Amino acid sequence: MWATRTRLAGVLAGYLADVALGDPARGHPVAAFGRAAAELEKVTYRDSRLAGVVHVGVLVGAVSVLGAALQRTADRGGPPWSIAATAAATWVSVGGTSLARTGLAMSELLEPGDIEAARRLLPSLCGRDPAWLDGAGLTRASLESVAENTSDAQVAPLLCAAMGGAPAVLAYRAVNTLDSMIGYRSARYVRFGWAAARLDDAANYVGARATAALVVMLAPFVGGSPWGAVRAWRRDAGRHPSPNAGVVEAAFAGALGVRVGGPTQYRHELQIRPTLGDGREPTVADLRRAVALSRTVQVGAALLAVLLCYLRRP
């Protein structure tokens, strides 16, 4: 029973640390991992899928072993250390507070029409080329990114922490970080990044659908429509090129009564994506509502994680 209680307490403590503090201001372990991955890429890079599998396997394997060693050592020290290990791993792996703050900061720049400042901020949310985007494009890109990252930065890692403690949540963050670095269909990464992209799809499959389900249940708290979320999810999600982003973006669009998708410019290519939802084009006010919905879903995800910890008790 103590293992259940410590896991539960650790996940909650990590979530609350993120709510109170946001991301670590200095020395963020995820940033250190990213630098290590970039250095390793200089050695492992080949224009092949096999090289990408080796690259991802080495990095995710190393993080998993480190997480398992951390958890075992902490468990031997007793409940306080076990709680601390799970809490620390959860805190550095989630990013819901920073996501919400960045989304609101974007809305504050777009409201008075400060397009240049909004373009400079956009890379903090997504990998699109901001130079191509006007106010409407920046608003749409930000809303889509808030939706997708509600799953990637909060719901999925919380569920991983609840199910597997420090090793699982750290491995998840490694996979998701590698996808953001090399999981692109550019000339350089279309083959080398294949393993990172496919592993990220698998890692986020449950989290994305849990996020969409929470959107459906919690949409009324921000004046949204549960039925609109369900309708857009069922009708539109499968048209998106990502098996997970489409689920979450469609649910957000339907809940908020907006339409997202369409031409999407990345630095390496222009993607013509189908539209999700059948409402109006999103406004700055809709972006703020998306942030409010994201925060509400994050609370719901924390409660869901607690429930999962309880159900997994020995």
Side-chain angles (χ1 to χ4, degrees), residues 4 45 94 106 117 122 150-151 167 173 179 184 188 218 254 257:
T4 299
Y45 180 80
V94 300
M106 180 65 77
L122 188 67
T150 299
S151 175
R173 181 47 59 208
D179 178 64
Y184 295 104
R188 177 177 174 84
L218 300 174

Side-chain angles (χ1 to χ4, degrees), residues 168-256:
V169 72
L170 292 176
Y172 170 82
R173 181 47 59 208
V175 169
N176 192 247
T177 302
L178 287 171
D179 178 64
S180 71
M181 295 178 69
I182 64 173
Y184 295 104
R185 297 174 183 172
S186 63
R188 177 177 174 84
Y189 291 128
V190 66
R191 283 176 285 276
F192 184 73
W194 173 84
R198 297 292 78 75
L199 188 56
D200 185 71
D201 286 344
N204 280 294
Y205 187 88
V206 172
R209 284 146 186 85
T211 303
L214 288 169
V215 168
V216 171
M217 291 186 288
L218 300 174
F221 286 91
V222 297
S225 168
W227 304 118
V230 171
R231 183 170 59 251
W233 177 5
R234 293 184 61 183
R235 184 190 62 207
D236 299 335
R239 300 160 57 197
H240 195 282
S242 166
N244 299 320
V247 170
V248 182
E249 290 178 21
F252 264 75
L256 299 173

Side-chain angles (χ1 to χ4, degrees), residues 138-147 252 256 258 260 282 286-287 290:
L138 289 163
T139 301
R140 193 200 101 198
S142 299
L143 192 151
E144 290 173 354
S145 297
V146 166
F252 264 75
L256 299 173
V258 299
V260 298
D286 293 317
L287 175 56

Side-chain angles (χ1 to χ4, degrees), residues 50-285:
L50 179 59
V53 170
V54 172
H55 181 75
V56 171
V58 168
L59 289 164
V60 176
V63 169
S64 300
V65 169
L66 178 63
L70 170 67
Q71 192 73 68
R72 281 197 303 270
T73 302
D75 289 347
R76 286 197 295 268
W81 289 101
S82 184
I83 292 170
T86 303
T90 301
W91 178 36
V92 302
S93 298
V94 300
T97 294
S98 293
L99 171 66
R101 288 173 179 171
T102 306
L104 285 180
M106 180 65 77
S107 71
E108 290 169 359
L109 294 173
L110 290 171
E111 186 73 55
D114 193 347
I115 301 301
E116 289 306 315
R119 285 172 175 163
R120 290 192 295 270
L121 181 60
L122 188 67
S124 298
L125 282 172
C126 62
R128 300 182 194 182
D129 188 348
W132 292 79
L133 300 176
D134 57 10
L138 289 163
T139 301
R140 193 200 101 198
S142 299
L143 192 151
E144 290 173 354
S145 297
V146 166
E148 181 179 0
N149 286 306
T150 299
S151 175
D152 292 2
Q154 195 75 0
V155 178
L158 280 175
L159 298 184
C160 287
M163 297 301 293
V169 72
L170 292 176
Y172 170 82
R173 181 47 59 208
V175 169
N176 192 247
T177 302
L178 287 171
D179 178 64
S180 71
M181 295 178 69
I182 64 173
Y184 295 104
R185 297 174 183 172
S186 63
R188 177 177 174 84
Y189 291 128
V190 66
R191 283 176 285 276
F192 184 73
W194 173 84
R198 297 292 78 75
L199 188 56
D200 185 71
D201 286 344
N204 280 294
Y205 187 88
V206 172
R209 284 146 186 85
T211 303
L214 288 169
V215 168
V216 171
M217 291 186 288
L218 300 174
F221 286 91
V222 297
S225 168
W227 304 118
V230 171
R231 183 170 59 251
W233 177 5
R234 293 184 61 183
R235 184 190 62 207
D236 299 335
R239 300 160 57 197
H240 195 282
S242 166
N244 299 320
V247 170
V248 182
E249 290 178 21
F252 264 75
L256 299 173
V258 299
R259 181 178 69 256
V260 298
T264 302
Q265 179 69 54
Y266 291 92
R267 286 183 172 84
H268 59 277
E269 68 172 344
L270 172 66
Q271 294 184 5
I272 307 300
R273 294 183 175 177
T275 58
L276 310 177
D278 51 13
R280 62 187 181 280
E281 289 190 2
T283 64
V284 175

